[in-house]
Amino acid sequence: MLSRSTELVECSRVPFAAGLAAHGERTALIVDGRDVTYRELADRVDAVVHRLGSTRRLVLITGGNALDPIVAYLAALAAGHPVLLVPGGNADTLAAMIEAYRPDVVVDDGRFDEHAPGTTHDLHPDLALLLSTSGSTGSPKLVRLSHDNVQANAEAIATYLDIRNTDRAITTLPMHYCYGLSVLHSHLLCGAGVVLTDRSVTEPEFWNLVRNHRVSALAGVPYTFDLLDRVGFADLDLSCLRYVTQAGGRLDPERVRGYTALGQRRGFDFVVMYGQTEATARMAYLPPELAAQHPDTIGIPVPGGSLRIEPVPESDDGAGELVYTGPNVMLGYATTPGDLALGRVVDELRTGDLAVRTDAGLYRIVGRRSRFAKLFGLRIDLQRVDAVLGDHGLVACCAGGDDQLVVAVVEADPRQVRKLAARASGLPEPAVRVVPVAELPRTENGKPDFRAVAALADRAPGDPSADGGPIDLSRLRSLYTEILATDGVTDDSTFVDLGGDSLTYVRTSVRLEKLLGTLPADWHTTPLRELAAAAGRPRRGLRTVETNVLIRALAIVLIVGSHLHLFALVGGAHVLLAAAGYNFARFNLAGSRGVRLRHTLASVARIALPSAVWIGGVVAVTGAHPLSSVFLLNGVFGPDAWTREWRYWFVEALVYIVLGIAVLLAIPWVDERERRFPFAFPMVLVVAGLLTRYQVIGPDTPTSQILASYVVFWLFPLGWAAARAVAVWQRVVVSAMALVTVPGFFHDEPGRTALVVGGLLLLVWVPRLWWPALFVRPVEVLAGASLFIYLTHFTVYPYLRDIDPWLAFAASLAVGVAYQQLWIGLGRLWGRWRPRSFGAPAVAGREPTGNPARTVTVTGTGG
C-alpha cells in the first residue's frame, strides 16, 4: 500500500547535493587516479535520480569510499529520497536493516535492488538521512536527520575550517560514519576535491596518494593518530597539508599540544572537534590558536550553534550535562519503520557528557552521565578512571561488570593497573579485574567498545582463546623477547617493528615455524596474534625454510669449504651481497626518514663492530694485516692486486654500500622518491651501479675488479629490487637484469657465474623451500652466524688444515658460532642497562617516535 505523501515535489532537498553542476569543471572526486569533475558527477547523479523515479522512497545504501555508492547517496539527497546508510561489506548488518526497516530500494556496491515499485512507507517531508549512532552500528535504533541538518552542519564545518575550492581531502574514515560523511559533505559544498581510497594511513600507497594529489586535509579519530605515530607522520614531507582535524573521542592533551606544535612547524592547522551523530557530526571545535594553551578542552560551539551546561544531581564538582542547540540537531530517533513519519520531536541535544566552562570561555568534558557504574554502593565515574590511566601512559578502557570493575589494558603490568584503577575509583583492589589485550576492543568507527570490554570479564584466566587464537601467545611473546632482547613485545607487535634484523630473522623464523607449523611469506610484518590465528600443521618430516636463509647457510659452507679446497664452488659472497640488499629492503625501509637513518646506521655498526674487534685482535696478536684492514679501509689504502688484505672485502663493501645508501635516503627528496616508486628506485640504482661494473666510470682496477665495493655495488640494489618485485613483470625484469649483467663479470668462471645467477633467481621466484626438519636447526645456526664464521675462519683453518681439513672445516664453523653467541650475550647486557630514550616510558602498544634503541642489521654473511 502506497503512502499518501509520495511525490518528490512535497519534500525538501539538500542544496549542495542538488547544485553540484555549479562548480563546473573543478575536480570533485579522485577515483583510482582519475579525476571526476563536478559536471561529470552531476550528470551521474542525475542519471541515478531518474532511475530512482518520481515517487519518494526509502533508499538503503551500503556506504563505501568509492564512486558508485557516493553517486547513489548524492542522488537520493538531491532528489529528496530518505537514505538509510549502512556499512558496506557487512552482510549481517545489511540483512538486519532490511528486515527491520523494509527499504523500498537497496543499493549495494552500486547494484540496485527494488523491493517495491513505489513506497510502502509514510516518510516525513523533512527526513533526509538515517544513521546508526556511533556506539550502535547495526542497531535498529537510528538517528533521523533532516535536509536542513545536513546542509547546516556542512556549512558550519566549511566556515570554521575555512575550506576552499582549492582544497583536497582524502578518505581516512568510513562513509557510513558521520565524521567521514561530514568530510565529504563539507568539501563538496565548497567545490573542493576528495580523494577516495580504502588504504590505511599505515600503507605507503596512502601517502603516495596524498603527495600525488596534493591533499590538503586529513581527518582522524584518536586511533588514527596512534597509527600516524607508528608511521613517523612527523617526519613525512607533506608540504601540501593545510589542516588536520580530530574528532571521534578524546585525544590526550599532551598529544593535542604535540600535534598543534607540529602543525605550527610544518604549516598546517590542527583542529580538535567534538560532535555526535545526533548533531549531524559537529557541535564544537577548538580554534588552532587556542590549542596549545587549552589542549584539554573541546573549544567553542560551531557557527550557528550554542552550548549550555545544565546542573545534574549526581555531580558535586560544578560539572553539568552539556546541552547543544543548533540547526544541525536531529529530528529524533527511529526504532521502527513507523517512526519515519515523525517530524521533529527534539529541539536541543542533551549530549550525556558532563562538562565545565573554563574561565577562557571554553568547554571541557569531564565525564559522561551514562558511563557510571554502581559497585559496592559506590557510584564509579568510568570516564575518570580511563583518564587517570591515560595520564599514566596506559592505553586502557574500563567498564562496569556485575560485581567488579573491568579494565582492558594494552600490555601493561596488571598489578600497577589494578592499583591505579582502585585508587581512581575508590574500590578495593580485589574488585578490579584487569584483562590484558593486544588492542582495545573498538566499534567499526574506531571508538572504544564498552560492551566488549565488559564482556572480557567472562574470559577464563589463562584461556588461550582470550589471546585471540589457538596458540598460547605468551610463548610467542617470550620468543620475541628472548631473541630481540626487548621488553616491549605485545600481541600486536611485528618482527620489523621490534627492530628485527637479518641475523635474528633466521633464528626467529625457524623457531616460530616450529611453534606454528607454517609461516606466511610476510610473517616478519604480521602481528603475533595474527600469526597465532593462522597457525597450520607442518608436513610430516618437512619444514619450510626461507630461501634467503638457506642461501646464507649454504653459502657460508661453500665459502669455508672452498677456501679449504674441499670442493670448488665459489661465488657465494656475491649472492650474499644481493641477499643483503634483499634484507635491507625488508627490514630497514620501515618508518620515517629519521627512523630509517637510525636503523641503517645501527645496521652498519652491528656489522662493522664485530668485524673491527676480530680483525683488530688478529692484527694485535699476529700482525698479519695492516691497520687499514682493522678500519675496513683496504679498498682505499690497500694494494690493487689480490693479497690477504682483500680477505675481508665483503664486509668492507657492505659497510660502504649501506653507508652510501643511508646518506642518499637522508635527503628528503630522495626519500620521497623511494616511497613513491619502491620498485623503480632500486632499479635506477642498479643502472647507476652498472656504470662502475662495466667501468664506464671509476678507476681501472682489473685485478680486484670483482672485489671493490664500487664495482660490486650493483648487486645490492638488484637484491633490493627482488624484494620489491611483487608483480610478475617486475620479477621478470629483475631476472632479466641478472641474466644479462652477471655473465662476463667473473671472466672465465662459468661455474661461479651460474651459482650467482641461480642464487639471484631463487631469491626472486622461490621465497620458501621445503627442507628436511632434521636439518632445519643446522641451517638456522649457520645462517645466523654466517658473518661471524666468515670473520673467524681465515684465522682458524690455517692451524688445522694440515692435521685434517675436515677438522679445520668443523672448527671454523664452530668458532664462528661461538663468536656470534658472544656478541648476542653482549647485546643482551646492553639491552638491560641502556638508558631509556628521552627518559620516558613507552606507551604500551605504541612505539615511541624515534626510539634509538631499535636497531636493524642488513645481513650477516660474507665470503
Side-chain angles (χ1 to χ4, degrees):
M1 176 178 177
L2 300 183
S3 75
R4 291 169 296 172
S5 300
T6 60
E7 295 302 316
L8 290 172
V9 294
E10 299 179 21
C11 71
S12 58
R13 294 165 173 80
V14 176
F16 78 77
L20 296 170
H23 299 294
E25 300 304 317
R26 298 200 61 82
T27 296
L29 304 174
I30 298 172
V31 188
D32 297 328
R34 184 177 73 85
D35 288 9
V36 177
T37 68
Y38 274 91
R39 191 174 304 281
E40 180 184 352
L41 181 61
D43 290 343
R44 288 173 175 266
V45 166
D46 287 344
V48 176
V49 167
H50 179 74
R51 185 170 184 178
L52 289 173
S54 59
T55 299
R56 191 162 181 255
R57 300 192 281 177
L58 177 62
V59 181
L60 184 150
I61 299 175
T62 58
N65 295 330
L67 182 59
D68 287 342
I70 289 177
V71 168
Y73 172 72
L74 292 172
L77 292 187
H81 299 283
V83 176
L84 170 52
L85 196 58
V86 302
N90 191 323
D92 291 339
T93 297
L94 176 61
M97 285 300 181
I98 291 175
E99 182 179 357
Y101 281 94
R102 305 190 303 278
D104 304 310
V105 180
V106 173
V107 184
D108 183 16
D109 195 23
R111 299 183 301 272
F112 277 71
D113 183 8
E114 298 198 33
H115 289 210
T119 183
T120 59
H121 299 284
D122 189 0
L123 305 170
H124 193 276
D126 292 340
L127 182 63
L129 181 60
L130 296 160
L131 293 175
S132 292
T133 63
S134 57
S136 59
T137 300
S139 165
K141 182 179 181 180
L142 302 176
V143 173
R144 295 185 294 114
L145 300 172
S146 71
H147 304 89
D148 289 343
N149 289 159
V150 174
Q151 181 75 16
N153 202 238
E155 291 175 353
I157 294 170
T159 299
Y160 70 74
L161 289 181
D162 185 27
I163 299 177
R164 307 163 188 173
N165 62 10
T166 54
D167 281 319
R168 282 187 177 174
I170 188 167
T171 53
T172 52
L173 302 162
M175 176 187 171
H176 66 267
Y177 176 31
C178 69
Y179 186 10
L181 200 58
S182 72
V183 173
L184 181 71
H185 290 170
S186 57
H187 285 78
L188 293 182
L189 171 80
C190 299
V194 180
V195 181
L196 303 182
T197 181
D198 284 322
R199 295 281 189 182
S200 165
V201 296
T202 61
E203 298 180 68
E205 293 81 3
F206 177 88
W207 299 108
N208 289 342
L209 289 172
V210 170
R211 297 183 187 92
N212 292 343
H213 299 294
R214 299 197 60 77
V215 168
S216 57
L218 195 66
V221 296
Y223 184 57
T224 308
F225 291 90
D226 291 344
L227 300 178
L228 290 178
D229 288 346
R230 293 183 190 178
V231 300
F233 175 76
D235 294 328
L236 296 181
D237 183 10
L238 303 172
S239 57
C240 51
L241 204 58
R242 202 169 69 81
Y243 51 94
V244 176
T245 62
Q246 181 271 318
R250 178 181 183 269
L251 192 64
D252 181 78
E254 285 306 310
R255 299 184 72 197
V256 172
R257 188 177 280 116
Y259 272 92
T260 298
L262 176 64
Q264 292 171 346
R265 295 195 303 270
R266 303 296 294 275
F268 65 80
D269 286 335
F270 183 65
V271 185
V272 174
M273 307 187 299
Y274 166 79
Q276 293 178 359
T277 308
E278 290 84 346
T280 328
R282 300 279 79 81
M283 290 181 280
Y285 74 102
L286 180 59
E289 64 272 14
L290 301 178
Q293 289 76 35
H294 308 279
D296 58 342
T297 70
I298 60 169
I300 59 178
V302 300
S306 63
L307 291 168
R308 64 182 175 84
I309 295 176
E310 183 173 294
V312 293
E314 62 266 27
S315 175
D316 55 4
D317 56 1
E321 184 174 10
L322 192 64
V323 180
Y324 175 80
T325 305
N328 50 317
V329 172
M330 66 176 178
L331 299 174
Y333 291 109
T335 56
T336 67
D339 294 333
L340 305 184
L342 299 177
R344 179 170 295 280
V345 296
V346 295
D347 294 315
E348 59 182 15
L349 179 60
R350 305 181 69 85
T351 66
D353 287 325
L354 298 176
V356 296
R357 192 168 187 267
T358 70
D359 294 339
L362 307 177
Y363 292 86
R364 179 191 299 120
I365 303 296
V366 297
R368 183 156 179 82
R369 294 192 72 176
S370 61
R371 288 212 66 212
F372 282 86
K374 196 72 173 290
L375 297 171
F376 300 97
L378 298 175
R379 185 177 174 83
I380 311 300
D381 184 345
L382 303 178
Q383 188 90 1
R384 181 174 180 275
V385 178
D386 284 347
V388 169
L389 296 176
D391 290 342
H392 283 79
L394 297 168
V395 179
C397 178
C398 62
D402 293 337
D403 57 358
Q404 60 187 343
L405 177 66
V406 182
V407 182
V409 63
V410 178
E411 285 302 315
D413 182 356
R415 292 170 298 180
Q416 177 200 14
V417 177
R418 186 176 295 108
K419 289 180 180 179
L420 290 172
R423 190 181 308 138
S425 62
L427 292 171
E429 286 189 28
V432 179
R433 170 76 183 279
V434 178
V435 183
V437 293
E439 60 181 21
L440 295 183
R442 296 184 183 277
T443 66
E444 290 187 1
N445 299 332
K447 292 187 176 183
D449 188 334
F450 302 118
R451 291 183 181 178
V453 171
L456 293 175
D458 297 331
R459 294 194 328 190
D463 180 2
S465 65
D467 287 321
I471 300 297
D472 184 357
L473 277 164
S474 64
R475 297 180 65 187
L476 301 185
R477 292 194 299 270
S478 297
L479 188 150
Y480 271 34
T481 300
E482 173 194 345
I483 295 178
L484 300 176
T486 177
D487 295 327
V489 183
T490 73
D491 294 348
D492 211 31
S493 296
T494 72
F495 177 80
V496 170
D497 286 343
L498 294 171
D501 55 49
S502 65
L503 295 179
T504 51
Y505 181 87
V506 176
R507 300 167 59 208
T508 309
S509 65
V510 173
R511 292 180 60 182
L512 268 180
E513 188 169 22
K514 187 175 181 180
L515 285 174
L516 302 179
T518 57
L519 285 179
D522 59 349
W523 72 265
H524 56 295
T525 57
T526 302
L528 278 180
R529 56 189 172 84
E530 294 181 20
L531 286 177
R537 294 182 178 273
R539 295 186 186 179
R540 188 173 184 85
L542 294 175
R543 301 242 314 267
T544 59
V545 177
E546 296 268 352
T547 299
N548 78 87
V549 172
L550 188 59
I551 282 175
R552 289 162 59 183
L554 293 177
I556 196 63
V557 168
L558 296 180
I559 290 166
V560 177
S562 296
H563 288 167
L564 276 162
H565 305 294
L566 296 173
F567 36 75
L569 293 170
V570 292
H574 290 82
V575 177
L576 292 170
L577 195 59
Y582 185 88
N583 287 325
F584 177 84
R586 301 177 79 193
F587 304 131
N588 284 56
L589 295 181
S592 65
R593 187 173 74 255
V595 171
R596 285 180 168 191
L597 180 61
R598 287 192 295 273
H599 288 181
T600 305
L601 293 179
S603 299
V604 172
R606 295 183 69 180
I607 299 169
L609 282 177
S611 302
V613 168
W614 183 267
I615 300 170
V618 171
V619 170
V621 174
T622 67
H625 302 285
L627 281 176
S628 60
S629 294
V630 178
F631 296 102
L632 304 178
L633 294 172
N634 182 68
V636 179
F637 299 109
D640 290 337
W642 167 260
T643 63
R644 68 172 59 190
E645 284 83 0
W646 280 99
R647 286 177 169 176
Y648 301 103
W649 72 268
F650 177 83
V651 176
E652 186 172 317
L654 185 58
V655 166
Y656 290 129
I657 288 171
V658 178
L659 273 177
I661 290 176
V663 172
L664 190 64
L665 291 179
I667 302 171
W669 185 88
V670 177
D671 179 79
E672 184 178 357
R673 299 284 85 71
E674 190 282 325
R675 294 177 191 272
R676 290 183 62 184
F677 308 106
F679 176 73
F681 185 88
M683 290 304 298
V684 170
L685 293 183
V686 171
V687 174
L690 291 176
L691 298 177
T692 54
R693 178 257 184 268
Y694 289 108
Q695 295 188 314
V696 176
I697 60 174
D700 184 14
T701 55
T703 305
S704 57
Q705 181 191 31
I706 63 172
L707 305 178
S709 59
Y710 58 87
V711 177
V712 299
F713 167 76
W714 108 94
L715 289 168
F716 186 92
L718 194 60
W720 178 348
R724 295 300 203 194
V726 293
V728 172
W729 72 265
Q730 293 172 331
R731 295 179 183 179
V732 170
V733 169
V734 177
S735 302
M737 188 66 75
L739 290 167
V740 169
T741 60
V742 175
F745 185 68
F746 300 108
H747 307 297
D748 298 325
E749 297 183 83
R752 197 174 200 178
T753 298
L755 184 67
V756 173
V757 171
L760 284 167
L761 294 180
L762 279 175
L763 277 178
V764 173
W765 294 100
V766 187
R768 301 184 72 85
L769 290 166
W770 286 101
W771 195 253
L774 181 65
F775 298 109
V776 169
R777 178 60 178 169
V779 166
E780 173 204 4
V781 172
L782 292 175
S786 51
L787 170 66
F788 302 90
I789 295 171
Y790 168 74
L791 288 171
T792 59
H793 85 284
F794 289 113
T795 307
V796 175
Y797 75 77
Y799 295 100
L800 298 171
R801 63 182 168 187
D802 292 336
I803 300 173
D804 186 319
W806 287 103
L807 174 63
F809 177 79
S812 296
L813 300 181
V815 171
V817 171
Y819 189 47
Q820 178 212 26
Q821 293 302 312
L822 173 63
W823 279 88
I824 289 175
L826 292 174
R828 286 174 179 166
L829 288 175
W830 166 250
R832 290 174 184 171
W833 65 264
R834 68 188 175 199
R836 296 285 183 184
S837 64
F838 310 119
V843 176
R846 187 171 64 242
E847 175 194 315
T849 302
N851 184 354
R854 288 184 53 187
T855 56
V856 181
T857 299
V858 189
T859 188
T861 57

